Amino acid sequence: MSVQIDIVGRCPVCGGERLALNSEYMVVCTSCGTVLGGAVASGAYATRRDDDHAPIFGSTLFDWHDIRGLVVPKYKVYEMLNRRVSSGVETEIDKLASLLSLPKACSSTAKWIVMRIRYVRDVELTAAAALFISCRIVKTYADFKFKGFDAEKLRRKIVLLQKLAKLSMPPPPPVQVIHHLVSEFKLGPEVVRDSLDILEVLSPILGRGKIAQLVAFILAARARGHKIDVRAVADASWSQPDLIVDALKTVARAVK
């Protein structure tokens, strides 16, 4: 009986794919010499002795004459186990997306984000952060729908998730944000037009982010004679009132 042993995977140090077994049956990278650890048999015909242990818990001894299939490096097993964790987050994403009435594009993008990270600790908060970022990516303004979460904890998780997934969250679409605020405060469509015009003027000073959009709305509404409170706007948009106040002060200094 012929035995075929193939080693699949990539060296986490140099990225090389030239992996081999040394005399101690440890997987090593022949490009940089890094010892990657024990191996585990896999495939339809792979077998192990009864006294073997899963490589995640310690060394594994194989009866190599019984192996017909693939030999997977130990670090590959770590990656596979980590991916199992994301399945729980994906289930939570589906539940939360349904609860918040978010479009399918948001939940699909959130799952894609979760697949880009390895470790998940707080499943519910991670799912919420992934959905928050995904809504921004697909240009669906839904910040205010996350009011049920602790604002500071969710913000920290959003920042961490962007770092781990190596992506940047874009600002919300100005038209959607302003339309939402106009609807919340029961104002006329003229405030929408004025807000967008003011936002263009403010963009060299504040940029076009969410805070700049809120400032533009406040100035447009007040110019039309409406009494708009900063804290009420912050609550309606799920934003920090201090940031809005600071931005208003920046505009006031720039006008002088």
Side-chain angles (χ1 to χ4, degrees):
M1 178 182 66
S2 62
V3 179
Q4 180 181 358
I5 299 177
D6 297 321
I7 302 178
V8 296
R10 185 184 295 271
C11 176
V13 178
C14 70
E17 296 181 349
R18 298 172 57 189
L19 307 180
L21 292 174
N22 63 9
S23 59
E24 298 177 351
Y25 298 119
M26 301 290 284
V27 179
V28 297
C29 175
T30 59
S31 298
C32 66
T34 302
V35 178
L36 304 178
V40 56
S42 66
Y45 300 102
T47 59
R48 293 186 298 176
R49 291 206 298 258
D50 293 337
D51 58 345
D52 289 340
H53 302 283
I56 198 73
F57 299 112
S59 61
T60 304
L61 299 176
F62 294 100
D63 184 352
W64 298 103
H65 295 290
D66 292 337
I67 295 178
R68 290 174 294 173
L70 299 176
V71 175
V72 183
K74 181 178 179 180
Y75 72 91
K76 193 70 174 181
V77 177
Y78 279 114
E79 290 184 0
M80 291 168 62
L81 291 177
N82 289 333
R83 286 175 186 170
R84 293 177 190 172
V85 179
S86 66
S87 62
V89 184
E90 291 175 359
T91 302
E92 188 65 29
I93 286 173
D94 287 331
K95 292 180 181 178
L96 188 56
S98 176
L99 181 65
L100 300 179
S101 301
L102 297 175
K104 189 174 181 179
C106 293
S107 58
S108 299
T109 306
K111 293 176 183 178
W112 170 78
I113 293 173
V114 171
M115 288 178 62
R116 294 170 64 91
I117 63 177
R118 290 191 174 189
Y119 304 102
V120 174
R121 291 186 178 180
D122 191 324
V123 173
E124 184 179 1
L125 198 59
T126 300
L131 277 172
F132 191 97
I133 297 171
S134 67
C135 288
R136 291 286 190 89
I137 292 176
V138 301
K139 298 182 179 180
T140 299
Y141 178 60
D143 295 17
F144 56 93
K145 293 187 176 183
F146 293 84
K147 291 182 180 179
F149 291 89
D150 183 281
E152 190 57 34
K153 288 183 179 179
L154 184 56
R155 287 190 182 99
R156 287 200 299 265
K157 181 63 74 172
I158 289 171
V159 172
L160 177 62
L161 209 57
Q162 290 180 84
K163 182 179 179 181
L164 294 176
K166 297 180 180 179
L167 53 84
S168 179
M169 182 176 67
V175 175
Q176 294 185 28
V177 174
I178 294 171
H179 268 291
H180 169 71
L181 292 173
V182 167
S183 175
E184 284 288 311
F185 290 93
K186 297 180 173 58
L187 305 180
E190 66 279 357
V191 177
V192 176
R193 295 192 298 269
D194 294 349
S195 299
L196 294 175
D197 291 340
I198 293 175
L199 180 61
E200 291 298 324
V201 177
L202 295 180
S203 57
I205 305 172
L206 300 178
R208 296 179 58 84
K210 183 179 177 181
I211 297 300
Q213 298 168 17
L214 300 181
V215 169
F217 167 76
I218 292 173
L219 295 178
R222 288 178 177 177
R224 290 281 180 174
H226 301 288
K227 294 182 179 180
I228 300 296
D229 180 64
V230 170
R231 190 166 294 277
V233 173
D235 184 62
S237 60
W238 200 68
S239 303
Q240 294 175 286
D242 294 344
L243 295 179
I244 301 175
V245 172
D246 290 342
L248 286 169
K249 291 179 180 178
T250 300
V251 173
R253 288 194 297 268
V255 172
K256 290 182 180 179

